Amino acid sequence: MATGLSAAIREFARTKYVLPAVTIGNLEFEIRVRDIWSGMRAQGFEMSGRTPQICSALQTRKFLEENDLAISEIVGPPSGQSPTVVFRYKVIGAKAGERHSDRLKDAETNQAAETAEEWAHRMTGKLFGLLKEEITAMGGTEAFIRWVRAEDEEISREDAA
């Protein structure tokens, strides 16, 4: 059994994304590199400069075959080596059919093992990613703050009237 960071990345992705998707019957799902990075970091892994390793681990033959997956699309910059990369997968082969019930049992066991603290870190990481994307879309932090303050001023004027 491999014990390196790539193996840990594959196991993290399997536990947090593949098994939950199979559990609810999704045969298509996506994994964001940024979410893997944040989740692994929250678990104490040193992730600085590890984006290429995450990208590589999520598209290895080993990861795909172990989980009966095929990559349907890779969304992101042409380099394919960015925190903004999103891998879209299709469940194929045995997981899509006859072993589905076995995977459901495995997924239920692994999800039950997640503590409240792990869940909170996972959810916070996702929220952080969403907020960061929104701030970037608005033109940066200063533009975001101006937008928030403008909304507050409008509400204050309406309350005064």
Side-chain angles (χ1 to χ4, degrees):
M1 177 177 191
T3 58
L5 183 59
S6 292
I9 291 167
R10 289 190 302 269
E11 182 57 29
F12 182 85
R14 179 181 183 277
T15 302
K16 301 295 182 184
Y17 298 94
V18 177
L19 292 176
V22 171
T23 298
I24 60 174
N26 285 349
L27 297 180
E28 295 183 10
F29 64 96
E30 64 185 32
I31 299 177
R32 298 175 187 277
V33 170
R34 176 179 289 129
D35 294 343
I36 297 291
W37 188 93
S38 298
M40 297 284 294
R41 186 169 168 234
Q43 289 187 356
F45 287 91
E46 174 52 49
M47 299 305 291
S48 181
R50 298 298 185 178
T51 298
Q53 191 169 6
I54 295 169
C55 294
S56 177
L58 294 178
Q59 55 189 325
T60 61
R61 181 179 308 172
K62 184 172 186 163
F63 179 69
L64 298 174
E65 288 177 358
E66 286 177 351
N67 295 292
D68 291 332
L69 299 175
I71 296 175
S72 59
E73 184 178 17
I74 300 174
V75 179
S79 70
Q81 304 290 307
S82 165
T84 61
V85 170
V86 177
F87 291 94
R88 294 196 175 129
Y89 298 96
K90 288 183 182 180
V91 180
I92 59 170
K95 280 199 180 118
E98 64 271 7
R99 289 193 331 197
H100 183 73
S101 63
D102 292 339
R103 296 296 169 199
L104 289 176
K105 290 176 190 170
D106 287 348
E108 288 167 3
T109 301
N110 284 327
Q111 282 188 336
E114 182 178 48
T115 67
E117 184 177 0
E118 291 170 338
W119 179 85
H121 282 292
R122 187 168 50 88
M123 290 296 112
T124 303
K126 287 182 180 181
L127 289 173
F128 173 75
L130 290 173
L131 182 59
K132 188 174 180 181
E133 289 172 11
E134 287 299 315
I135 289 172
T136 301
M138 294 188 97
T141 307
E142 289 183 25
F144 178 76
I145 295 297
R146 281 194 299 273
W147 175 77
V148 168
R149 289 183 178 156
E151 291 287 320
D152 288 343
E153 289 174 7
E154 275 185 38
I155 292 171
S156 296
R157 282 188 225 128
E158 290 174 3
D159 289 343

